[in-house]
Amino acid sequence: MKPLPFRSVPAATHRWRTDGLACPTVTADAARAVGVAGPGRLTESTDLSAAGNTITCLWAPAGRAESVTLSLDTSTSQAAADIAWQTRSALLREAVPGVGEQAFTGVLGNEIQVLVRSGNATLNVTVVAKPDDPEGLSSLRAAAPAIAGAMLGSLIPA
């Protein structure tokens, strides 16, 4: 197995609020097309005001998907956000152009993951396709970057 390459961190072009995080309502056409549109349900939240915050949101059942999960991490420190990005994105190798400052995707079994960096925020979107549905997996894989981009649009500037 090849060693993982060192990934450079793009310059932060945004600064997002770290308090008052809420699950977005996804309205993107790509989300509607696969049955993932609507409000997310908060399943977990940490409020570490001095360091940043994390929320986890769930959409389920979700049309062709069994579920869609968003884990949104924000950091009050850009340096901490940069280190977290390098660590979390290291295993994903397929770049997703046009989403955030940098984004990567990958598939493991019936799970599609899209990891997006935008300033001091990292969005980890996981779309779980129904088992034994290769057409569903294919359509969800095509829609996942647009869904992640729509979720990115819910962040509030600092």
Side-chain angles (χ1 to χ4, degrees), residues 60-88:
R64 292 203 88 147
E66 284 202 349
S67 65
V68 175
T69 304
L70 164 66
S71 177
L72 169 60
D73 297 313
T74 59
S75 178
T76 57
S77 161
Q78 189 60 54
D82 293 347
I83 291 168
W85 174 251
Q86 281 187 308
T87 303
R88 294 184 74 191

Side-chain angles (χ1 to χ4, degrees), residues 99-154:
V99 180
E101 294 156 356
Q102 196 172 47
F104 295 93
T105 188
V107 176
L108 180 60
N110 66 330
E111 292 189 13
I112 303 141
Q113 181 182 16
V114 180
L115 197 63
V116 181
R117 171 202 161 81
S118 180
N120 60 318
T122 299
L123 290 81
N124 184 5
V125 178
T126 304
V127 180
V128 180
K130 293 180 179 172
D132 303 319
D133 182 7
E135 284 182 27
L137 180 63
S138 178
S139 65
L140 291 167
R141 181 173 169 85
I147 293 168
M151 291 176 175
L152 179 62
S154 71

Side-chain angles (χ1 to χ4, degrees), residues 32-61:
R32 275 193 216 108
V34 295
V36 182
R41 181 175 53 88
L42 184 67
T43 60
E44 186 177 347
S45 177
T46 60
D47 185 5
L48 306 172
S49 297
N53 290 302
T54 299
I55 62 170
T56 303
C57 306
L58 176 68
W59 290 259

